[in-house]
Amino acid sequence: MNFSQKIGIFCLIVITTVYIYFSFFSKDGINLPKKNTGEEVTVKENDTRISDPDVKEDEQPVKHQIKTVKIYVTDSRGKLRSVSRKCDTAVEKSCFAFAIKELISAPTQWEKNKGLSSEIPPNTKILSVREGSSNVLIDLSSAFEGGGGAESIYIRVYQLIKTSQANTNLPVFLYINGKQAEVIGGEGVMIKQPLTERSLDD
């Protein structure tokens, strides 16, 4: 065996010894380079994650607020009497408009059994109720002024006036088929606007 062969065997022994030491006796072993497979992200438990903007939080339940409104009907003697209705603000856009709707459809069967009635013709339609910052406009169909004579017209207008006053502090104007009412019915009952308890005074 020549000198070069001896040197080669010695180097091989040294390399083998080092490998065995790091493989079996070193705590961390041999740290071989890892193949880069992309960015590694470690998320700790207390990390604050950014929520996905497309994922909406659970919608809050709708809060129901019940407001009492008053409408006016007539008793067996023809006198005006107030009755209450419950307006759910989560359902109704306007409790004033709700009150007018209830007035036009009143009385209920229970109220009829108690002797209450209404002079507003049952085929009257609400064309619109427009609430502004300074006034309210109620537009009814022409059926509102039909039939019943002058006394009936007086009472139905007062039903509308009292109901309006009970549910808003704003001036209220009555329109019939899109035109501001000046005369109601075939009897020619004059009406002053906005609606007040003196609107039908001569």
Side-chain angles (χ1 to χ4, degrees), residues 34 36-43:
K34 296 182 180 180
N36 186 7
T37 57
E39 184 179 1
E40 181 179 349
V41 178
T42 302
V43 179

Side-chain angles (χ1 to χ4, degrees), residues 5 9 20 38-39 63 94 145 160 167 185 196:
Q5 289 176 330
I9 292 172
I20 292 172
E39 184 179 1
K63 294 183 179 180
S94 162
E145 57 182 350
L160 182 62
N167 297 289
T196 68

